Amino acid sequence: MAEITRLSGCRDWIDLGFVERERTPEPAMALGIQSHVAGLSLSNTVELLEDLGVQRSRKAVHDWVQKADLQPDSGKSPNQIALDETVIRINDQQFWLYAAADPQSNELLHIRLFATTTTTLTEIFLRELRQKHDVETAVFLVDGAQHLQTALQRAGLRFQMSRHGNRNAVERIFRELKRRTSSFSNCFSHVEPETAENWLLSFARWHNATN
């Protein structure tokens, strides 16, 4: 299984505090969460655990990821923030994934899934970003999307248009995200948007921990 080569590294970023009366050994749970977030399908993750003598269902692994409630750490003070959006498909419907990344550390600062993309939703995203991090003096790097620029202006945040350079940080992360979800055909099927967003937040936590 070629994907296993991507699963090395520390798993301290996975908080198993949600575990109460779980019969699965915690190291196996951590491996299952890491494997699925890193891009293995649920079926392949189950096979990996079976190779270690742990028999669990696809639903069990799915529930571990959801209950772990992983998301990027807060309290960052970036000098620059790459802001962008990309399309994610859920049950053959189009959703927009907003992301803010620190191009110096290559860490995801905040992500959010919306059913569409508007100036108002961008303002909501920026308000949440402000609650998590100190971004008042940061310079936001954006492309030519007018709704991004308008929302930043209304929020009183500095920005500059940039199609290359440091703004590429968030585009690289988007490419990595879509590569990781290639086993899902870049489409979350038979899940609610909230479930998909929880997985995306878990991906962001994994990305930052292994960056």
Side-chain angles (χ1 to χ4, degrees):
M1 199 178 298
E3 294 93 335
I4 294 178
T5 60
R6 304 202 300 262
L7 303 181
S8 60
C10 178
R11 301 187 186 99
D12 291 345
W13 53 275
I14 301 174
D15 182 6
L16 296 177
F18 67 90
V19 176
E20 294 180 357
R21 300 176 61 182
E22 174 61 53
R23 62 186 176 88
T24 307
E26 290 192 5
M29 292 180 64
L31 176 61
I33 292 170
Q34 180 196 36
S35 301
H36 185 45
V37 171
L40 287 188
S41 67
L42 286 171
S43 296
N44 286 341
T45 301
V46 167
E47 289 180 9
L48 175 62
L49 294 175
E50 287 177 348
D51 289 342
L52 300 176
V54 178
Q55 303 284 332
R56 295 313 309 262
S57 66
R58 295 168 72 252
K59 183 180 184 304
V61 175
H62 169 272
D63 289 347
W64 295 343
V65 174
Q66 296 298 311
K67 291 178 181 178
D69 192 27
L70 300 169
Q71 53 187 294
D73 290 334
S74 58
K76 306 292 184 179
S77 300
N79 294 319
Q80 292 183 324
I81 298 174
L83 177 65
D84 207 350
E85 58 199 1
T86 191
V87 172
I88 295 290
R89 299 194 67 81
I90 302 175
N91 298 326
D92 292 328
Q93 293 185 357
Q94 181 172 289
F95 286 77
W96 289 89
L97 175 65
Y98 278 69
D102 181 343
Q104 293 181 324
S105 66
N106 201 38
E107 289 188 352
L108 278 163
L109 301 171
H110 186 44
I111 63 172
R112 190 75 148 76
L113 201 59
F114 293 111
T116 186
T117 176
T118 65
T119 300
T120 299
L121 292 177
T122 306
E123 289 179 285
I124 292 173
F125 179 84
L126 292 173
R127 185 161 58 247
E128 293 174 349
L129 179 65
R130 266 178 155 159
Q131 292 171 350
K132 293 175 177 289
H133 306 286
D134 179 8
V135 301
E136 302 308 312
T137 60
V139 176
F140 285 76
L141 307 177
V142 298
D143 58 14
Q146 188 59 51
H147 61 282
L148 297 181
Q149 298 179 36
T150 300
L152 287 163
Q153 286 177 332
R154 291 179 180 176
L157 296 169
R158 295 189 299 161
F159 69 91
Q160 67 183 46
M161 288 184 57
S162 174
R163 298 185 183 278
H164 305 287
N166 284 346
R167 205 191 73 83
N168 288 342
V170 72
E171 293 181 351
R172 287 194 298 271
I173 292 172
F174 281 153
R175 287 196 297 269
E176 176 68 4
L177 170 63
K178 291 187 176 184
R179 186 175 76 86
R180 297 289 176 180
T181 59
S182 61
S183 57
F184 315 146
S185 300
N186 288 332
C187 176
F188 294 88
S189 300
H190 311 298
V191 299
E192 295 297 323
E194 181 181 0
T195 299
E197 187 171 60
N198 284 343
W199 186 92
L200 291 163
L201 285 167
S202 299
F203 167 84
R205 183 70 181 90
W206 170 84
H207 170 84
N208 292 352
T210 57
N211 182 48

